[in-house]
Amino acid sequence: MSLSEQIMDEIKTAMRAKDTVALEALRAIKSEILLAQTATGSKEEITEDDEVKLLQRLVKTRKESARIFTEQNRMDLVEPELAQIAVIEKFLPTQLTEAEVEAVIAKIIGETGASGIASMGKVMGLAAAQLGGTAEGKTISTIVKKLLT
């Protein structure tokens, strides 16, 4: 079942349950999928990698919003953002822990013989390809910097 079909099923369930927070998050996902499909100009489904990137972008946006709302002491706005993150993350692959990401990056550094910060781009490219949607880019970047310095 494609992500679009899963989202439509979840939207129906959320509507029946009158779950407005989940409904808002699911509609945001559906909207982003439609925008991604029309951006390419084709009626084809977007690739699974693009779907993961899209979902990660939605989570990142909501985390940033929650952080800003927390700084402004607006807890009434933080809670819906965090609830939407939980809904969106159900459709993402299981995220690796920092220790697991560090082990994968250490292996990549060992295989490539990379040393020093000048090799960061090479390691980042390989790590991003290997870790796919299982780790955030910021986490990967932080760990690569730490291991290369």
Side-chain angles (χ1 to χ4, degrees), residues 23-24 28 32 35 37 42 45 55 58 69 76 89 91 94-95 100 102 104 114-115 118 122-123 129 134 145-146:
L23 196 55
E24 189 176 332
E32 287 294 322
L35 286 172
Q37 287 174 337
S42 66
E45 294 286 320
L55 293 171
L58 289 171
F69 293 145
D76 58 318
E89 284 180 338
F91 301 101
T94 306
Q95 299 293 295
E100 293 169 325
E102 191 168 335
V104 170
S115 62
K122 179 179 173 184
V123 174
T134 59
K145 279 182 189 174
K146 183 176 91 175

Side-chain angles (χ1 to χ4, degrees), residues 77-118:
L77 298 174
V78 172
E79 292 172 18
E81 294 293 330
L82 296 177
Q84 287 185 24
I85 289 170
V87 171
I88 296 168
E89 284 180 338
K90 289 192 309 189
F91 301 101
L92 281 170
T94 306
Q95 299 293 295
L96 298 176
T97 64
E98 283 194 29
E100 293 169 325
V101 173
E102 191 168 335
V104 170
I105 292 172
K107 181 180 172 197
I108 291 171
I109 291 172
E111 289 172 354
T112 60
S115 62
I117 204 73

Side-chain angles (χ1 to χ4, degrees), residues 5 14 16 18 40 42 61 66 71 74 84 86 91 100 102 106-107 123-124 131-132 140 145:
E5 293 168 346
R16 287 185 195 113
K18 295 182 180 8
T40 60
S42 66
T61 303
E71 288 173 1
R74 294 291 311 267
Q84 287 185 24
F91 301 101
E100 293 169 325
E102 191 168 335
K107 181 180 172 197
V123 174
M124 280 294 297
L131 295 170
I140 295 170
K145 279 182 189 174

